[in-house]
Amino acid sequence: MGSVYRARDMHFPNVTKLVAVKEMINSAPDPLVRETIVQNFEREANLLATLHHPSIPKIYDYFSLESRSYLVLEFIHGKDMEAVINETNGFLPEEQILTWAIDLCDVLDYLHKHKPDPIIFRDMKPSNVMINSSGDIMLVDFGIAKAFQSGIKGTMIGTEGYSPPEQYRGEATQAADIYSLGATLHHALTRRDPRLEPPFSFAERPIRRINPAVSPEMETIVNRALEYDPENRFKSASEMRDALVSIARKTGILVRMGPKTGPIKSEGIKPLWKFKCEDEIRGTPTIHQGALYIGSYDHNLYALDAAEGKFQWKYPTDGGIVSRPLVVEGNIFVGSEDQRLHVVSARSGKVVWTYYTDAPVRSSPTVAEGHIFFGSDDRYLHAVNINSGRMAWRFESADAIRSTPFVMSEMVYFGCESGDYYAVSFRGEMKWRFRAKRAITASTTGTGQAIYFTSVDNTLYALDPRNGWVLWRFRLGKSSISTPCIADDLIIVGAADGFIYAVEAKSAKEVWRFRTDHQVNGSAVIYKDSLYCGSVDGNLYCLEYRTGRLRWKFGTEGAITGTPLVYDDVVYIGSTDHHVYALLA
Amino acid sequence: MDKIFRFLFGNRSTPPEKVMDTANTAPLTEEQLKAIVNSQNMQFDLQQLISAAGQSVGKQRDLNEDSLLAITTTMAGNSGNLPFGLYIVADGMGGHQFGEVASNAAVRTVAGYILKKFQPYLFQIKVETMEESFQEIMSGAVSEAQRIIQREAPGSGTTLTAALVLGQQITVAHVGDSRASFIYPDGRLETVTRDHSLVQRLQELGHITAEEAENYPHRNVLYKALGQGDILDPEIFTLAFPQPGTLMICSDGLWGVVAEQDIVRAVNEAPSLQRACQNLVAAANMAGGPDNISVVLAQLIG
């Protein structure tokens, strides 16, 4: 334990000469131990006195007073690199880090070539690198390296996160300093603090995946410094320095490199077919026995031939259709803004019956146990007998229900525009209720263990389906009306900040996020190892769902707010450009 | 005479020859078999949580640096039935000063923090559901413990494995190399926590094999511990309670000493959870008892 003071040197009374005074408190009760500590301290002082390098602070004096020892050092105006990283919004420019990296290699090279014995710094990390007012680096804290004690539980040496594997075994060599420098650069380039990650996990956080602005050359150099086996790292700090200088040269020192474009196939994807409606398509299609059913703002429900996109029939309602059609026993159920639930024969497109609510129906219907469940802007959840079209019961909520009811284990789960969320039994009795801070427009998905939904209050919620206790909350960058999608152990959801997020179901830890250029209001669907999701930026994205890496995207002329449908290797998606597209998955 | 015997010895005096006579009865139908199996199934309307704990200083140490805590409640009524439990094991680090202070502070601080959070919702009449999530509460409890340890015993450290059970959910907060495991009646043991030890990390990275790990010289080096470091990032996650099955939380004085299959057998064959804990502690001591031993077992039945 120790402190560093800013002090004024009174040997020079006429000028202000500032110095740094580093204090070490020696509180060891054992006199022998105490003596060793003092000896080590003096050794550090003597060591520093022999060093002359612009990146190493000068030592002026040292002394001990009772149980305290002091070093008087050159005062550095500036901040340490960790503070610089934390106080910067976004990423530090690569050229800045490159300059520091070259200087750090210089000073390490100087230490490693020290005579008679090489000096191993052992504690390279951002907080031990000071950046002075003119932007130059200074290596501080030549604290005596801690001796490794084996056989004692919990001994931790070096700074967790920056130390190489061999340092945990008590070895400290030049290669260890190179690893720690690599770790320091990785932290500076990615802003990911290695102390918050498992040790030696840099390979799991590729630099350019986190910060695509970094050049591939820089990434290669840092990766080599971070090699697990010391043999595979740079042989010396000067070799690493040379490699860094060569990138600086190649890029015409530090001229900003142009934005990189990855291997993205954005053109060249041709739809299998497209079909034009008379107005925007905001909803999601359904497929049944070779026919695709989709509603449009032009008030019609369309039936298309799924293979070729040929028109089969349309059924007119008196309002826009945003909900997803549902097919049950040869009939199609769809809600319309004309306040009705329409039931239409799938074969002929002729009406079977309709059911009136008191406000527009934007919630999609769900079927269970011979009943259709759906919400309406009239604030009621309606349960309607599937054959007779008669209401079995209705449940009054606090506000308009636009989410699709989710049915599991004889319970119906749904949220409403006031932010209230309900679990209602099949008999229409409320089992529990939860309240989010703002509207819950998104629908629920779930497993027996948890139900997931988002809210306009910027949160993805995981609740216990039995009692409504909150298991976890995940903060999204902005509001969300996108329904979560479950893929293995991931919960995938879009938000108005344009990101598609993948979060681990058990721990709520973010696994990846993918940026689109506008709000993501629809939901993702998984097909084989791909994820398909639309964005208001007009694109349909295909990502590898485990990593969030882009496979391809397909641009439409308008915003996509619905959810894609994938069936038999074909993706179907509607767009506000009035078209339905069929693409090869 | 027969009557008197029957009176004295009950059914046991029924002559065995009778059984032979019934050898040719018609087989039971599927439905009848199912009904019998169902009637013998341990089914309770009241789902309840039960638990037991065991601890020993071991055979080779003078100081017990482990701390543990087990709280089990059952509340049932017309409004539902909500088992609530909190189980914690903390193993203070030797070689650092005050490992026992650190583990004790960890257990008490975490438990105090969690109970205070839940008290208004569990033991008072509140209509609203709790806004904070289980995982946020666990995270808050660990941060609080970190703060208290750094104040009370600076430089010390401890592992912490805490499991909050509410309903059928287990939310675990974990730092270090104590473990939470699920033991199933079919003999499987599934460890749900990850050791924050150097040896485990090297294994995860594929640099050493499981056999090499057994004899690795620095088995006891942790890279994360409560009380150590400026930033602590505990593992926090929620899982379904194993049903049927047993939740076990233990220090390395048990899992590092007693073989997995022996742990499973001790748990699955014991007549009660209390006896299972005693047997586990005894097994670790029989194997030399090189370290402090702590174990907590819990089951959700019904």
Side-chain angles (χ1 to χ4, degrees):
Chain A
M1 297 289 123
S3 318
V4 182
Y5 299 95
R6 182 169 69 170
R8 188 176 156 195
D9 187 346
M10 296 311 283
H11 285 122
F12 303 94
N14 299 328
V15 291
T16 307
K17 183 188 176 191
L18 291 179
V19 291
V21 177
K22 185 175 161 190
E23 178 188 63
M24 292 246 301
I25 301 169
N26 191 347
S27 54
D30 187 292
L32 202 71
V33 174
R34 209 154 61 206
E35 200 177 314
T36 318
I37 292 177
V38 173
Q39 277 171 8
N40 285 345
F41 189 79
E42 291 180 354
R43 202 180 64 195
E44 179 187 1
N46 287 322
L47 180 74
L48 273 174
T50 66
L51 302 178
H52 306 282
H53 190 278
S55 297
I56 297 173
K58 291 181 199 65
I59 180 164
Y60 299 122
D61 202 356
Y62 71 88
F63 54 94
S64 292
L65 260 179
E66 290 166 4
S67 62
R68 287 153 203 253
S69 300
Y70 298 90
L71 281 181
V72 184
L73 299 160
E74 182 181 349
F75 182 78
I76 304 158
H77 279 280
K79 280 184 209 165
D80 68 67
M81 195 196 281
E82 188 175 323
V84 173
I85 295 170
N86 290 340
E87 289 164 16
T88 308
N89 286 321
F91 296 110
L92 286 163
E94 179 179 346
E95 50 266 42
Q96 175 86 80
I97 296 168
L98 182 57
T99 328
W100 293 339
I102 292 170
D103 289 348
L104 285 169
C105 283
D106 261 335
V107 62
L108 283 184
D109 187 46
Y110 172 79
L111 293 172
H112 293 169
K113 288 187 176 142
H114 185 262
K115 296 282 172 341
D117 297 310
I119 296 166
I120 309 301
F121 186 66
R122 289 176 201 233
D123 207 8
M124 175 67 78
K125 58 178 174 181
S127 62
N128 277 344
V129 177
M130 291 290 291
I131 293 160
N132 70 19
S133 46
S134 43
D136 298 324
I137 60 111
M138 292 287 245
L139 206 50
V140 295
D141 202 353
F142 282 71
I144 290 88
K146 301 141 221 164
F148 181 73
Q149 299 165 282
S150 73
I152 296 171
K153 177 166 184 168
T155 309
M156 285 181 282
I157 41 225
T159 297
E160 181 194 342
Y162 300 98
S163 306
E166 70 271 16
Q167 199 159 326
Y168 283 82
R169 295 190 288 263
E171 297 162 22
T173 60
Q174 302 182 7
D177 277 351
I178 288 175
Y179 182 96
S180 301
L181 174 57
T184 300
L185 297 176
H186 189 284
H187 182 175
L189 290 165
T190 61
R191 293 185 59 117
R192 295 283 187 96
D193 190 330
R195 288 167 295 185
L196 295 175
E197 310 284 345
F200 331 130
S201 61
F202 296 101
E204 296 160 21
R205 298 188 298 285
I207 295 171
R208 277 162 42 78
R209 175 110 53 89
I210 298 166
N211 178 3
V214 174
S215 64
E217 293 86 350
M218 184 70 161
E219 183 178 47
T220 310
I221 291 179
V222 175
N223 287 349
R224 174 139 181 236
L226 287 171
E227 280 287 343
Y228 178 86
D229 188 344
E231 294 292 305
N232 296 334
R233 297 179 206 147
F234 293 101
K235 296 279 168 291
S236 65
S238 62
E239 188 190 338
M240 180 162 168
R241 182 186 179 281
D242 292 345
L244 288 163
V245 167
S246 82
I247 348 181
R249 253 192 231 118
K250 197 183 295 171
T251 55
I253 221 178
L254 320 174
V255 176
R256 184 94 213 99
M257 284 159 271
K260 298 267 173 321
T261 41
I264 296 163
K265 298 187 283 171
S266 61
E267 272 87 53
I269 295 215
K270 288 264 181 298
L272 297 170
W273 54 257
K274 59 181 179 176
F275 175 85
K276 191 165 193 250
C277 303
E278 288 152 40
D279 204 337
E280 296 177 352
I281 299 175
R282 300 211 163 186
T284 303
T286 301
I287 198 163
H288 179 70
Q289 295 187 344
L292 191 77
Y293 302 97
I294 192 160
S296 162
Y297 251 52
D298 68 13
H299 299 193
N300 288 307
L301 171 70
Y302 288 86
L304 309 172
D305 168 42
E308 290 162 21
K310 291 229 175 71
F311 174 84
Q312 292 185 330
W313 52 256
K314 67 179 177 184
Y315 168 81
T317 71
D318 298 322
I321 300 177
V322 293
S323 76
R324 174 195 189 128
L326 170 76
V327 185
V328 187
E329 294 168 8
N331 289 331
I332 309 195
F333 294 73
V334 72
S336 162
E337 290 186 342
D338 68 6
Q339 316 195 349
R340 282 182 289 168
L341 176 75
H342 298 259
V343 184
V344 180
S345 157
R347 202 152 32 84
S348 62
K350 295 279 184 303
V351 64
V352 179
W353 50 263
T354 61
Y355 172 91
Y356 279 85
T357 75
D358 296 327
V361 178
R362 298 181 170 122
S363 153
S364 305
T366 307
V367 64
E369 298 287 329
H371 287 81
I372 295 286
F373 300 92
F374 67 99
S376 160
D377 277 15
D378 69 7
R379 297 184 289 119
Y380 285 98
L381 177 80
H382 297 262
V384 177
N385 184 289
I386 203 163
N387 297 315
S388 66
R390 267 197 218 116
M391 179 178 84
W393 50 261
R394 58 179 194 173
F395 174 87
E396 185 175 10
S397 79
D399 207 339
I401 304 169
R402 294 183 179 152
S403 66
T404 303
F406 174 71
V407 175
M408 185 176 74
S409 309
E410 307 197 350
M411 297 279 279
V412 187
Y413 301 93
F414 60 96
C416 73
E417 294 302 297
S418 63
D420 287 279
Y421 187 89
Y422 302 89
V424 173
S425 77
F426 269 3
R427 285 187 293 171
E429 290 159 352
M430 184 174 86
K431 282 289 177 197
W432 53 261
R433 147 194 201 152
F434 170 78
R435 184 157 209 168
K437 292 194 190 69
R438 303 197 42 202
I440 302 170
T441 310
S443 310
T444 301
T445 39
T447 61
Q449 155 86 349
I451 46 176
Y452 307 95
F453 58 88
T454 60
S455 159
V456 177
D457 69 10
N458 305 8
T459 309
L460 165 64
Y461 289 91
L463 265 56
D464 187 328
R466 293 172 206 89
N467 46 42
W469 290 80
V470 189
L471 303 179
W472 50 256
R473 294 188 287 186
F474 178 82
R475 284 300 281 179
L476 303 161
K478 272 195 181 167
S479 65
S480 173
I481 57 168
S482 150
T483 300
C485 154
I486 302 175
D488 304 340
D489 55 345
L490 298 178
I491 307 299
I492 297 170
V493 76
D497 59 6
F499 282 105
I500 301 168
Y501 295 84
V503 174
E504 193 186 45
K506 69 170 186 175
S507 67
K509 281 226 162 112
E510 183 178 315
V511 177
W512 55 258
R513 63 165 82 179
F514 177 85
R515 173 174 222 132
T516 76
D517 294 327
H518 211 307
Q519 301 183 359
V520 180
N521 295 337
S523 306
V525 292
I526 304 291
Y527 184 74
K528 294 181 179 166
D529 60 346
S530 291
L531 169 155
Y532 300 87
C533 189
S535 163
V536 173
D537 69 13
N539 288 303
L540 173 72
Y541 291 89
C542 172
L543 312 178
E544 203 178 282
Y545 83 80
R546 292 250 118 241
T547 59
R549 233 171 279 160
L550 180 65
R551 289 217 158 111
W552 53 260
K553 60 181 180 179
F554 172 77
T556 70
E557 303 295 315
I560 298 179
T561 58
T563 300
L565 167 75
V566 193
Y567 183 80
D568 222 0
D569 291 331
V570 178
V571 196
Y572 303 92
I573 185 80
S575 165
T576 53
D577 70 3
H578 305 191
H579 283 95
V580 193
Y581 297 88
L583 304 157
L584 215 50
Chain B
M1 237 357 221
D2 201 351
K3 250 187 193 164
I4 291 168
F5 267 107
R6 213 172 278 169
F7 177 69
L8 282 174
F9 303 108
N11 288 335
R12 279 180 298 168
S13 63
T14 316
E17 294 89 50
K18 281 265 179 189
V19 180
M20 297 301 291
D21 289 344
T22 60
N24 285 330
T25 53
L28 295 171
T29 64
E30 278 299 304
E31 286 77 52
Q32 285 171 313
L33 277 172
K34 213 177 265 173
I36 291 167
V37 169
N38 281 342
S39 71
Q40 287 172 346
N41 233 348
M42 297 267 278
Q43 281 282 344
F44 304 102
D45 278 351
L46 176 62
Q47 190 175 51
Q48 54 184 308
L49 193 59
I50 57 169
S51 72
Q55 192 173 56
S56 163
V57 67
K59 294 282 187 205
Q60 296 173 27
R61 301 212 178 184
D62 303 325
L63 185 62
N64 182 11
E65 290 170 327
D66 280 7
S67 297
L68 69 76
L69 174 136
I71 296 172
T72 304
T73 63
T74 304
M75 236 187 306
N78 188 41
S79 60
N81 162 21
L82 196 68
F84 171 81
L86 185 59
Y87 308 102
I88 311 177
V89 166
D91 173 0
M93 299 196 307
H96 283 258
Q97 271 187 316
F98 309 125
E100 77 285 5
V101 178
S103 70
N104 181 45
V107 162
R108 285 168 191 257
T109 311
V110 168
Y113 185 97
I114 293 170
L115 292 179
K116 211 190 269 172
K117 285 280 180 188
F118 278 99
Q119 195 269 344
Y121 296 94
L122 288 177
F123 308 115
Q124 286 175 20
I125 304 300
K126 273 239 179 185
V127 189
E128 292 289 304
T129 42
M130 190 157 71
E131 192 184 293
E132 254 181 300
S133 70
F134 296 168
Q135 295 195 356
E136 285 163 274
I137 290 168
M138 288 304 254
S139 166
V142 173
S143 303
E144 180 65 5
Q146 169 92 340
R147 198 177 64 80
I148 297 288
I149 292 168
Q150 287 184 338
R151 194 184 69 198
E152 298 295 313
S156 71
T158 179
T159 73
L160 173 81
T161 302
L164 164 72
V165 178
L166 228 149
Q168 292 163 43
Q169 311 278 356
I170 305 182
T171 302
V172 175
H174 166 75
V175 182
D177 69 350
S178 297
R179 287 181 175 180
S181 308
F182 294 164
I183 297 166
Y184 299 97
D186 61 8
R188 276 179 304 134
L189 183 148
E190 180 195 359
T191 296
V192 295
T193 50
R194 179 164 86 162
D195 299 343
H196 297 133
S197 63
L198 178 64
V199 60
Q200 175 65 29
R201 185 63 193 149
L202 294 179
Q203 238 177 297
E204 283 164 11
L205 290 167
H207 292 300
I208 57 173
T209 62
E211 295 85 70
E212 285 171 315
E214 292 281 323
N215 305 307
Y216 192 75
H218 307 291
R219 277 190 65 78
N220 39 22
V221 177
L222 297 184
Y223 62 81
K224 213 184 257 187
L226 196 59
Q228 296 278 312
D230 344 317
I231 320 167
L232 186 76
D233 182 28
E235 249 175 75
I236 295 176
F237 52 87
T238 305
L239 297 171
F241 204 108
Q243 279 180 293
T246 307
L247 164 70
M248 175 176 82
I249 303 180
C250 67
S251 60
D252 64 343
L254 175 64
W255 70 255
V257 176
V258 182
E260 201 172 289
Q261 65 271 24
D262 295 334
I263 292 179
V264 172
R265 200 172 312 130
V267 170
N268 285 346
E269 290 176 10
S272 68
L273 285 186
Q274 285 80 355
R275 184 61 65 78
C277 286
Q278 290 167 352
N279 292 349
L280 288 171
V281 169
N285 275 328
M286 294 236 285
D291 201 350
N292 306 144
I293 306 149
S294 292
V295 60
V296 180
L297 297 176
Q299 283 176 347
L300 190 57
I301 52 177

